[in-house]
Amino acid sequence: QVSPALRTPRLPVWLCSSPGRLGVLFGTDSRLLSHWRAERVFHLYFYGGRPEQTRTARLRIDTHSHHWEDSPSEDPCSPGKRCPALEMAIRTKWAGATISWNGTDPFF
């Protein structure tokens, strides 16, 4: 029997798989599960267990600004450019969100 905590997590957690690698994307704000207003600006954390990843990446997600507003000359995920798979996965839940890596090199 599955415990109630596993059926209804208290914090948002996603398991991510990109070509041959697994990782965990999670948030520390339980309001993301129940309050749509909490989805305005929030942080998610990613840990992939790679040897080169020395600490958990802290991502800032802004669902009400647009990624093209930061740099109007060029969209970082435009056709022909490499866009991190993790950003693409996040945008399946929050389309058009601006994602800041806070000084961490993006994982491709």
Side-chain angles (χ1 to χ4, degrees):
Q1 180 175 352
V2 177
S3 86
L6 290 176
R7 287 181 284 182
T8 307
R10 294 192 176 133
L11 295 172
V13 176
W14 296 271
L15 296 176
C16 302
S17 174
S18 63
R21 303 227 179 194
L22 295 176
V24 178
L25 180 67
F26 61 95
T28 57
D29 186 355
S30 62
R31 294 178 308 145
L32 284 174
L33 296 172
S34 59
H35 295 27
W36 62 269
R37 290 183 186 201
E39 294 183 356
R40 167 72 170 89
V41 176
F42 56 94
H43 290 95
L44 293 178
Y45 301 86
F46 179 76
Y47 182 73
R50 294 178 173 184
E52 62 270 12
Q53 185 180 358
T54 57
R55 60 187 174 99
T56 303
R58 182 174 186 239
L59 307 173
R60 181 179 181 272
I61 315 298
D62 185 346
T63 61
H64 283 70
S65 68
H66 303 288
H67 56 277
W68 57 82
E69 290 175 348
D70 292 335
S71 176
S73 62
E74 192 172 328
D75 176 8
C77 293
S78 62
K81 296 285 183 181
R82 290 182 69 190
C83 186
L86 186 58
E87 285 188 23
M88 292 173 24
I90 291 170
R91 287 190 181 115
T92 63
K93 171 83 171 134
W94 297 284
T98 300
I99 300 165
S100 170
W101 287 77
N102 293 315
T104 304
D105 290 331
F107 308 116
F108 284 96

